[in-house]
Amino acid sequence: MSNKETGYRVENPATGEVLERFATATDAEITSAIESAHAAYLDWSALDISERAAVVHRAADLFEARKQELAEIISREMGKPISEGVEEAEFSAAILRYYADNGAQFTADQSISTVDGATAMIKRLPIGALLGIMPWNFPYYQIARFAGPNLMLGNTIVLKHAEICPTSAQAVEDIFRDAGVPVGGYVNVLASHDQIADIIADPRIQGVSLTGSERAGSTIAALAGKHLKKAVLELGGSDPYVVLDTDDVAAAAQLAWSTRMYNTGQACNSNKRLIVMDDIYDDFVAELVRLAEAMEPGSPDTAGPGVYMPLSSRSAAEGLDKQVRKAIEEGATLRAGGVLGDAAFFSPAVITDITPDMESHHVEFFGPVAVVYRVSSDDEALAVANDSPFGLGGAVFSRDQLRAEKIARELKVGMANVNTPAGEGAELPFGGVKRSGYGRELGPLGMDEFVNKQLYYVQK
């Protein structure tokens, strides 16, 4: 069974059934959206930031009020468990509130001391209409972390979502419209790939933010560069998760496993490479295998420990299966799972014995696959952790915090964590280095990307 469906649609990943189709926008509709976003920018940016904050606060309240409905929408679109969908809507609300509460502080004028006594300051000003290109794995959260700070700044948003997320995309536009964002202030477009290029080329669009694959990031970066537009890229990751020692191997393995299985393994900053010290490695892997073998397929409303969901689509499951088969052909060992099932189901897998000379060592397994490496020293653990083309996040665990911190400080990543899988919160910046992209979202830095840092100078 191979699903070659394309175009905007709602496709149940548990069955492969296409429930609804949507027409791609016409060129005239794209032009109208850009015109609307530009016109809205002129008025929206002229408002006092406190007025924009009131609107963004209302949007946060609507995300909270509609969280059950929102969760059900994405469970149909991309198979997310209802409980995780509710959490995502709640987190989206928290992000919007964070920027509504802190936006005035983040954009306050910054005085500069001058040698001649003149008045000088940095003003943080909006720049115009922006294009956001969002992925399917976190349909609401990805939008919130892009739209929240930029709407607060006074920018406006043209949003192109993934082809399998048309109804969640519309639900978000409805929230912002109902909250009081003016017509054009946030507009959803069902654009084609060719139309994305046209949008970026339009002089009224001042920047583009993409969360997606390396391939997509390379394409968008080239287009943005060609047209001299600012870009923020959050791309793939193959995050190292280093376990140096533990008082409870089973508990450590369970935390690593539950982290890896969140969102069916479809998270950019998931712990895709588990790097474990050799004295606990065998017991650690044995516990992972036990957990993997105990898992059963389920539906979004029956999610919980021991239950796994389908991937986002049949094509995603087939792509992951191809990667796992390639690893085995190269000499890796499949310890558990790794079976391509019906529709988009793929049984959670544990893989060991991948080595640096294998192609599989350098790829991202975007799904429920835990790859485990054995190491015998802290130096080796660090070397394996940094031997990746990606640099999104990483984590180091040890009973000796200073020992863990020593390695964490040397990780070539955008987000280094000690004794936790990941620091998460609206206030914590998110982003990477190397082939994981550039720019930051969330936290104060998330409001410092698509902004005119204008020097304002008055000679006395």
Side-chain angles (χ1 to χ4, degrees), residues 356-371:
D357 59 316
M358 297 179 185
E359 182 181 326
S360 300
H361 178 71
H362 305 285
V363 303
E364 175 186 20
F365 289 85
F366 204 69
V369 176
V371 176

Side-chain angles (χ1 to χ4, degrees), residues 266-317:
Q266 300 166 120
C268 298
N269 64 328
S270 185
N271 53 338
K272 299 187 178 81
R273 294 180 297 136
L274 310 182
I275 301 166
V276 183
M277 203 59 70
D278 57 1
D279 60 335
I280 59 173
Y281 175 90
D282 290 334
D283 290 342
F284 192 96
V285 170
E287 180 63 17
L288 293 180
V289 169
R290 187 189 71 79
L291 292 167
E293 291 177 341
M295 297 195 77
E296 298 288 343
S299 59
D301 57 349
T302 62
V307 178
Y308 67 92
M309 300 296 106
L311 274 74
S312 63
S313 66
R314 178 67 183 185
S315 60

Side-chain angles (χ1 to χ4, degrees), residues 8 22-26 30 159-160 165-166 169 188-192 195:
Y8 287 93
F22 296 78
T24 302
T26 64
I30 295 295
L159 200 289
K160 188 272 178 202
C165 292
N188 179 54
V189 294
L190 303 183
S192 68
Q195 288 170 332

Side-chain angles (χ1 to χ4, degrees), residues 173-243:
E173 182 179 30
D174 292 344
I175 283 175
F176 283 121
R177 184 71 58 82
D178 292 346
V181 174
V183 173
Y186 180 98
V187 57
N188 179 54
V189 294
L190 303 183
S192 68
H193 294 293
D194 288 342
Q195 288 170 332
I196 290 173
D198 294 337
I199 296 170
I200 294 173
D202 193 291
R204 291 165 294 188
I205 296 296
Q206 298 301 306
V208 55
S209 179
L210 168 117
T211 298
S213 66
E214 287 179 85
R215 181 179 177 183
S218 178
T219 299
I220 294 304
L223 287 167
K226 177 182 178 181
H227 298 288
L228 301 178
K229 306 290 176 73
K230 172 67 181 286
V232 168
L233 304 177
E234 196 272 279
L235 309 178
S238 189
D239 289 10
Y241 186 100
V242 181
V243 184

Side-chain angles (χ1 to χ4, degrees), residues 65-74 76 86 140 171 174:
R66 299 177 186 178
K67 60 186 178 184
Q68 184 67 29
E69 173 190 351
L70 294 172
E72 291 171 358
I73 289 172
I74 56 177
R76 290 191 296 271
V86 169
Y140 305 127
D174 292 344

